């Protein structure tokens, strides 16, 4: 079930070393539309396999709640009630991610908005048909969006979508949120040295044995394989990179990213990769989307507000330019 916010630009650089007591375990299954990797250190293989199974069950349960591809998902069932006058009871996980999304909408000045579902569908169909949508269709679809039309009642744990035709899309937050949920589950079971990679949305706990942290490479903008000369090393943080290598449309000489600006209805046209390091996966995920849309100065300010670090890599006149918050440098190390 691919999500629309593709952040598969991070290349994991890990050794295969084994240690006297702790062993490195790596489990991978296709989940949420991409490979879902779980890496952790433990001293018992039977326990590790049992935990991995529990983690993938958790991922499946999150997918059953957040997916916009599964007709039976809680998200699609909620969207189907749009325009009704009665609030709909939601699960604790759905309530949590909706509240996180509300905060993201408010903090980002509307550049992160999970009500863009109708726009996402419009552009997905446009890419499939290789036909650029008419401006009138975009403007009409925009009328179905706006987080101000989402009413969340935390007392009765229910949600009302005020306008018929609304559709929620959690593609810019669900993978990061789920990766963090898996890290938290591992912690609850005594695993404190772990990395979870949900198709490029990465959450971590403690560093691997005898290491400063988990080592992660960052792609050069507009490439799938080329890496910047310096890696990120981190632990107990999450990191997400967002860009348009994998999905975009070209029209009249402009490349429109799959990342849609909720304010205009059009895809972002700047050639940039945005890497966010944040305290948790959900925050890193939505910030990567918002900071792909905002001007550089506003993106840096937003990241700082959320206690996150930001790197924006752009190509301007054929040259790579880097913009970053000061704290980002603390995580950069020269690649071997």
């Amino acid at each position: 079930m691919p999500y629309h916010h593709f952040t598969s630009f991070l290349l994991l650089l890990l050794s295969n070393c084994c240690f006297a007591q702790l062993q490195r375990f790596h489990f991978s299954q296709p989940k949420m539309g991409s490979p879902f990797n779980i890496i952790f250190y433990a001293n018992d293989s039977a326990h590790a396999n049992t935990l991995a199974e529990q983690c993938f069950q958790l991922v499946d349960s999150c997918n059953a709640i957040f997916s916009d591809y599964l007709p039976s998902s809680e998200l699609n069932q909620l969207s189907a009630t749009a325009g009704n006058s009665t609030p709909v009871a939601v699960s604790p996980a759905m309530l949590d991610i909706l509240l996180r999304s509300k905060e993201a909408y408010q903090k980002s000045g509307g550049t992160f908005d999970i009500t863009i579902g109708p726009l996402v569908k419009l552009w997905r169909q446009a890419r499939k048909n290789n036909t650029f949508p008419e401006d009138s269709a975009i403007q009409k679809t925009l009328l179905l969006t706006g987080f101000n039309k989402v009413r969340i009642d935390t007392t009765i744990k229910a949600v009302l979508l005020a306008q018929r035709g609304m559709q929620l899309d959690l593609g810019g937050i669900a993978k990061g949120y789920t990766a963090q949920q898996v890290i938290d589950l591992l912690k609850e079971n005594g695993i404190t040295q772990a990395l979870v990679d949900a198709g490029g949305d990465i959450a971590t706990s403690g560093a691997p044995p005898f290491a400063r942290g988990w080592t992660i490479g960052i792609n050069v903008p507009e490439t799938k394989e080329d890496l910047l000369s310096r890696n990120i090393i981190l632990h107990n943080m999450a990191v997400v990179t967002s860009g348009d290598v994998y999905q975009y449309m070209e029209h009249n000489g402009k490349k429109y990213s799959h990342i849609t600006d909720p304010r205009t209805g059009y895809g972002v046209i700047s050639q940039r990769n945005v890497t966010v390091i944040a305290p948790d996966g959900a925050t890193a995920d939505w910030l990567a989307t918002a900071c792909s849309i905002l001007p550089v100065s506003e993106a840096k300010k937003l990241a700082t507000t959320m206690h996150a670090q930001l790197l924006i890599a752009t190509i301007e006149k054929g040259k790579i330019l880097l913009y970053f918050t000061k704290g980002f440098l603390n995580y950069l190390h020269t690649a071997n």
Side-chain angles (χ1 to χ4, degrees):
M1 192 241 25
Y3 285 75
H4 327 298
H5 172 39
F6 281 77
T7 51
S8 304
F9 305 92
L10 301 181
L11 176 66
L12 206 54
L13 308 172
L14 299 167
S15 69
N16 292 314
C17 297
C18 291
F19 299 88
Q21 294 179 329
L22 290 176
Q23 299 179 55
R24 179 182 181 273
F25 294 92
H26 183 178
F27 303 91
S28 183
Q29 290 187 17
K31 301 287 184 186
M32 304 177 87
S34 55
F36 199 107
N37 293 284
I38 302 173
I39 301 166
F40 60 82
Y41 288 82
N43 53 22
D44 180 79
S45 59
H47 182 52
N49 281 284
T50 300
L51 274 181
E53 187 176 336
Q54 292 176 13
C55 288
F56 286 124
Q57 288 174 354
L58 172 60
V59 175
D60 287 338
S61 69
C62 287
N63 195 46
I65 296 170
F66 304 141
S67 169
D68 76 323
Y69 277 79
L70 296 176
S72 61
S73 73
E74 183 179 356
L75 181 75
N76 280 333
Q77 290 178 354
L78 175 59
S79 291
T81 69
N84 293 357
S85 57
T86 306
V88 178
V90 295
S91 65
M94 179 62 81
L95 182 65
D96 187 30
I97 204 168
L98 290 180
L99 290 173
R100 297 290 299 270
S101 298
K102 180 180 181 179
E103 179 191 27
Y105 174 79
Q106 293 170 338
K107 292 285 180 67
S108 71
T111 52
F112 181 83
D113 187 349
I114 62 170
T115 69
I116 64 167
L119 282 169
V120 170
K121 284 200 164 185
L122 177 71
W123 283 100
R124 188 186 293 161
Q125 192 64 38
R127 286 193 298 271
K128 182 179 179 180
N129 298 335
N130 197 27
T131 303
F132 201 80
E134 296 287 338
D135 180 69
S136 57
I138 294 171
Q139 298 307 317
K140 183 179 178 181
T141 306
L142 263 178
L143 296 175
L144 300 174
T145 68
F147 203 97
N148 58 310
K149 300 169 186 174
V150 179
R151 315 282 161 73
I152 304 174
D153 189 326
T154 56
T155 304
I156 62 172
K157 298 178 174 57
V159 176
L160 176 71
L161 305 182
Q163 183 178 350
R164 187 172 301 279
M166 291 180 69
Q167 186 158 17
L168 304 183
D169 183 288
L170 297 170
I173 191 171
K175 280 189 176 182
Y177 182 95
T178 302
Q180 189 65 49
Q181 291 296 303
V182 174
I183 284 289
D184 293 345
L185 176 62
L186 288 170
K187 285 181 181 178
E188 291 168 8
N189 285 274
I191 302 298
T192 58
Q193 296 164 295
L195 178 146
V196 175
D197 177 5
D201 290 35
I202 295 175
T204 71
S205 54
F210 312 119
R212 297 173 60 183
W214 300 90
T215 302
I216 299 162
I218 313 170
N219 281 74
V220 173
E222 306 301 295
T223 72
K224 297 181 181 180
E225 304 296 338
D226 296 339
L227 299 178
L228 296 178
S229 61
R230 301 180 76 183
N231 295 326
I232 296 170
I233 296 182
L234 53 74
H235 59 86
N236 292 306
M237 299 289 281
V239 59
V240 173
T241 290
S242 178
D244 67 353
V245 166
Y246 294 96
Q247 289 199 32
Y248 60 87
M249 279 195 77
E250 290 193 42
H251 181 67
N252 291 338
K254 293 181 180 179
K255 184 185 285 188
Y256 291 83
S257 168
H258 72 283
I259 299 173
T260 303
D261 187 338
R263 303 166 302 179
T264 66
Y266 285 88
V268 176
I269 59 173
S270 60
Q271 294 177 292
R272 61 164 75 167
N273 278 5
V274 174
T275 300
V276 174
I277 298 172
D280 67 274
T283 301
D285 203 354
W286 74 255
L287 275 175
T289 297
C291 293
S292 296
I293 298 171
L294 289 166
V296 171
S297 59
E298 292 181 31
K300 289 167 68 175
K301 187 181 299 183
L302 174 61
T304 301
T305 299
M306 298 306 301
H307 307 289
Q309 302 300 333
L310 171 69
L311 169 68
I312 296 177
T314 69
I315 296 179
E316 298 178 23
K317 297 181 179 178
K319 294 183 178 181
I320 298 175
L321 297 181
L322 302 179
Y323 304 91
F324 47 84
T325 53
K326 291 181 180 178
F328 198 94
L329 295 175
N330 297 329
Y331 296 93
L332 285 179
H333 299 269
T334 303
N336 293 328

